[in-house]
Amino acid sequence: MAALEVRGLTFGYDKKETILRDLSFTLAEGESVAIVGANGAGKSTLLKLLVGLLPNFDGSVAYDGLPLTEENLPAIREKAGFVFQDSDNQLFMSTVYEDIAFAPRNYGFLPEEVDRRVERAMEMTRTSHLRDKQIYKMSGGEKKLVSIATVLSMTPELLLMDEPTIALDPRNRRNLIHILNTMEQGKLIASHDLDFVLDCCGRTILMADGAIVCDGDTQDILRDQKLLEANGLELPLSLMG
Amino acid sequence: MNKTERAIYEVDQLHMLAMRDQWVNRIHPLVKFVVTLLYLLAVVSFHKYDVAGLLGMMIYPMALFMLADLSFKECLRRLRFVLPLVFFMGIFNPLFDSNRIMLNGEAYSAGVLSMITLILKGCFCIFASYGLIATTTIEELCYALRLLHVPKALVNQFLLTYRYISLFLGEVHRATQAYLLRAPKQKGIRIRAWGPFVGQMLLRSIDRAGEVYESMALRGYRGEFYLQKRPGDPAEGAAGKTRGRGKDLLYLCIWAALILLFRLFPVVVWIGGLARGIF
Ligand SMILES: Nc1ncnc2c1ncn2[C@@H]1O[C@H](COP(=O)(O)OP(=O)(O)OP(=O)(O)O)[C@@H](O)[C@H]1O
Ligand SMILES: [Mg+2]
């Protein structure tokens, strides 16, 4: 069974304008897929919709056969973790530990288990040294890693990320690529950073104007200069010249 | 630091005080809340001429500040806008109440006495509340309120408002900076720009508050805050269940006894008498 199955998904913030048009795709378990597309293509909208933040869509979304409905939300949000584009809005507790512990506590885990999960999430994202640091005093890159840790503390099967490399310096960016590549979870990553996509995702879905233009092997799509340019994107630096 | 940065800093400092890992901070929030409440009731219930008795109540804030290692100077600085109000409340009493009353064979102006008790009551209450806030995080306080069956909606409102203040302050800070960077010769924000400025800030912070709420919902928040465990403190329970703990009970009993003692008996007068007996 597919880890995520999307069928005929159509959505608009209001009746007049359709933002997502008839999207269909599936994700196998543990698969890493990138969603690329120009500004306003609908990437963020798609991700938010997939974690149940935008109700009233047409079509169907299912995780492991479990349809995305109001009643299934708690179970689905345990399976699918969402990392916001803006870490400042993702993190709201005062210290790193508190923020990472927020989800496990809400799901009612015992203190020892909460502790174990937080430690593990911090280890995976290499943020253990930030444990008691106050969120508002951290750099953009540190916040991004902690944001990911807040989601990993629930050991989701699928990670949805919106522009994860924004605000990262080259070293932290490499660090993030390394961390993502060592995780066995499935990933659905919206990004403009095509070099990052080349390093992290084997498959790419190219979106334009709310519709899927093509869906296939990352190398094939990102090497196709004509295709990219027709959809408002440019060749990744590492594939130029 | 400009004013908004200062405000963010202050909110944060108070929070960091409450987050410290010391034993007063670790006492169960409900116990601290109840002790504070008991103390406030006791203080407020003193008779308006009973200066001597009221002076004895100083013991609680003093002891709390010492036990929790709180700086009295810091407290005064933070409360610099509140304390003057307390003084103003009492200051006209001597004009209204011109009676004279006899105490220990000496005549005192009733108005002055009631002014002193009013000011003392105000100060003591404020210091005790500060002591509570500085040793208990807002999440813990909300948890205590929930244990006392204060309606969930009210407690959540309180908690989210508190979070919203920090968000809003952050937004104000960013917007002021952006404005001032592009208007280097101005001292503040021009009146003409206030409308769009304030409107933008509100919209932006509402937007952010919305996303923060989504982030909470995505991580399993369903309208109930659990007691926040502090780092390195495995004894504090989670998920709404706390073990009955001897230390908490002892803390409660000792303070309840002391507060009642000082409220019901003229301890200060006894001590005064003792001292007079000795010298
Ligand atoms: N809350 C909203 N209400 C109404 N329209 C919105 C809202 N959020 C986004 N849109 C619109 O939906 C469209 C898609 O936006 P979305 O944020 O999904 O694009 P994106 O692909 O993530 O772009 P970017 O690369 O800039 O992040 C845009 O035209 C945008 O104007
Ligand atoms: Mg986006």
Side-chain angles (χ1 to χ4, degrees):
Chain A
M1 197 178 294
L4 172 65
E5 179 162 12
V6 177
R7 286 275 156 261
L9 184 64
T10 299
F11 172 81
Y13 286 97
D14 47 44
K15 286 277 168 306
K16 279 173 273 160
E17 204 182 359
T18 320
I19 304 288
L20 300 178
R21 296 162 211 276
D22 195 23
L23 305 181
S24 298
F25 59 91
T26 56
L27 250 69
E29 199 176 312
E31 196 179 12
S32 289
V33 178
I35 303 175
V36 301
N39 291 130
K43 306 180 294 289
S44 303
T45 306
L46 172 63
L47 290 185
K48 285 196 165 187
L49 192 149
L50 291 181
V51 287
L53 289 177
L54 304 170
N56 305 326
F57 53 86
D58 292 328
S60 72
V61 176
Y63 289 84
D64 281 331
L66 191 68
L68 178 64
T69 56
E70 187 74 35
E71 311 87 71
N72 293 340
L73 272 189
I76 282 175
R77 285 172 178 177
E78 235 181 304
K79 283 180 191 288
F82 180 55
V83 182
F84 282 78
Q85 175 168 343
D86 186 347
S87 309
D88 279 325
N89 296 348
Q90 169 123 23
L91 305 173
F92 48 80
M93 298 298 281
S94 43
T95 67
V96 170
Y97 183 97
E98 292 290 308
D99 218 305
I100 302 177
F102 184 83
R105 276 187 192 140
N106 269 317
Y107 278 92
F109 290 108
L110 290 173
E112 298 78 44
E113 176 65 11
V114 172
D115 220 47
R116 209 184 56 74
R117 282 170 176 262
V118 175
E119 297 296 344
R120 220 181 94 76
M122 287 195 297
E123 243 164 61
M124 285 175 77
T125 50
R126 303 181 183 173
T127 49
S128 303
H129 60 291
L130 299 172
R131 184 191 166 98
D132 292 325
K133 201 152 174 175
Q134 288 156 269
I135 303 270
Y136 90 115
K137 284 184 182 162
M138 293 195 309
S139 79
E142 288 169 338
K143 281 188 213 164
K144 179 55 77 183
L145 293 178
V146 171
S147 295
I148 296 171
T150 64
V151 170
L152 289 181
S153 62
M154 286 308 295
T155 51
E157 287 154 30
L158 180 64
L159 215 56
L160 298 102
M161 297 198 216
D162 200 354
E163 311 280 2
T165 55
I166 268 187
L168 295 188
D169 64 18
R171 195 172 58 92
N172 270 318
R173 188 171 158 282
R174 273 201 307 281
N175 189 13
L176 178 69
I177 292 174
H178 178 79
I179 288 166
L180 290 179
N181 283 339
T182 49
M183 288 178 0
E184 71 270 25
Q185 275 101 343
K187 289 156 221 125
L188 188 61
I189 304 176
S191 183
H192 293 290
D193 184 345
L194 299 187
D195 290 288
F196 167 77
V197 168
L198 269 177
D199 286 335
C200 277
C201 307
R203 180 177 146 205
T204 294
I205 296 174
L206 174 59
M207 278 179 74
D209 218 3
I212 293 181
V213 178
C214 65
D215 176 349
D217 188 73
T218 299
Q219 294 282 343
D220 294 344
I221 293 178
L222 296 191
R223 276 174 200 281
D224 191 338
Q225 188 163 8
K226 272 211 191 85
L227 177 71
L228 291 179
E229 278 172 7
N231 294 291
L233 295 172
E234 287 174 2
L235 273 186
L237 286 174
S238 57
L239 294 182
M240 267 191 207
Chain B
M1 257 194 283
N2 66 21
K3 273 185 202 143
T4 43
E5 258 180 316
R6 181 97 226 155
I8 296 172
Y9 177 78
E10 297 254 318
V11 170
D12 194 69
Q13 284 300 302
L14 206 54
H15 192 84
M16 285 326 279
L17 270 183
M19 292 269 302
R20 284 185 308 174
D21 194 25
Q22 341 181 67
W23 72 268
V24 185
N25 298 45
R26 277 197 299 269
I27 297 286
H28 195 285
L30 185 60
V31 168
K32 283 184 280 186
F33 188 75
V34 169
V35 168
T36 310
L37 213 61
L38 195 66
Y39 176 77
L40 296 187
L41 284 177
V43 164
V44 172
S45 68
F46 268 92
H47 189 270
K48 64 176 177 176
Y49 299 142
D50 191 1
V51 178
L54 194 54
L55 273 177
M57 297 305 277
M58 206 173 8
I59 182 170
Y60 175 70
M62 266 172 60
L64 185 59
F65 273 58
M66 282 194 302
L67 291 175
D69 191 24
L70 297 173
S71 150
F72 189 63
K73 222 171 92 193
E74 272 292 293
C75 166
L76 287 184
R77 204 180 49 70
R78 291 217 170 94
L79 298 174
R80 63 193 176 278
F81 301 115
V82 187
L83 288 172
L85 289 178
V86 173
F87 284 94
F88 271 112
M89 270 181 356
I91 211 141
F92 296 109
N93 270 29
L95 301 179
F96 297 137
D97 190 350
S98 54
N99 294 330
R100 301 193 79 72
I101 52 171
M102 301 295 288
L103 281 177
N104 301 332
E106 282 176 64
Y108 290 93
S109 151
V112 171
L113 285 181
S114 62
M115 172 183 83
I116 294 175
T117 53
L118 205 62
I119 291 176
L120 283 181
K121 280 180 186 179
C123 289
F124 288 174
C125 289
I126 288 173
F127 292 149
S129 312
Y130 177 83
L132 176 68
I133 304 268
T135 56
T136 319
T137 63
I138 204 81
E139 288 87 9
E140 287 173 327
L141 271 180
C142 287
Y143 175 70
L145 290 176
R146 282 295 292 140
L147 289 182
L148 290 174
H149 295 285
V150 174
K152 191 153 103 180
L154 222 64
V155 174
N156 274 328
Q157 193 66 34
F158 178 62
L159 190 82
L160 292 175
T161 306
Y162 183 82
R163 282 201 198 299
Y164 190 73
I165 290 175
S166 328
L167 275 187
F168 184 69
L169 283 175
E171 221 41 78
V172 173
H173 175 56
R174 257 187 297 273
T176 333
Q177 264 185 346
Y179 181 95
L180 292 179
L181 279 175
R182 283 182 284 161
K185 294 214 181 90
Q186 274 171 242
K187 265 232 159 111
I189 289 155
R190 249 193 237 139
I191 302 269
R192 230 171 351 127
W194 277 24
F197 189 78
V198 171
Q200 272 302 312
M201 245 153 30
L202 273 177
L203 282 178
R204 286 213 302 224
S205 47
I206 287 171
D207 227 39
R208 295 199 42 186
E211 199 156 290
V212 166
Y213 182 78
E214 285 177 347
S215 162
M216 291 167 69
L218 285 181
R219 289 195 265 153
Y221 176 72
R222 271 157 288 172
E224 184 79 85
F225 253 88
Y226 298 105
L227 177 60
Q228 305 299 317
K229 188 173 80 78
R230 263 181 243 92
D233 177 17
E236 211 62 82
K241 286 189 201 70
T242 36
R243 286 164 239 169
R245 289 199 296 158
K247 259 192 205 154
D248 295 333
L249 210 61
L250 197 66
Y251 185 88
L252 179 65
C253 292
I254 290 179
W255 275 121
L258 276 176
I259 290 171
L260 283 180
L261 179 74
F262 276 83
R263 173 66 194 89
L264 298 177
F265 303 100
V267 182
V268 176
V269 179
W270 291 349
I271 295 172
L274 262 177
R276 227 172 295 155
I278 292 167
F279 298 115

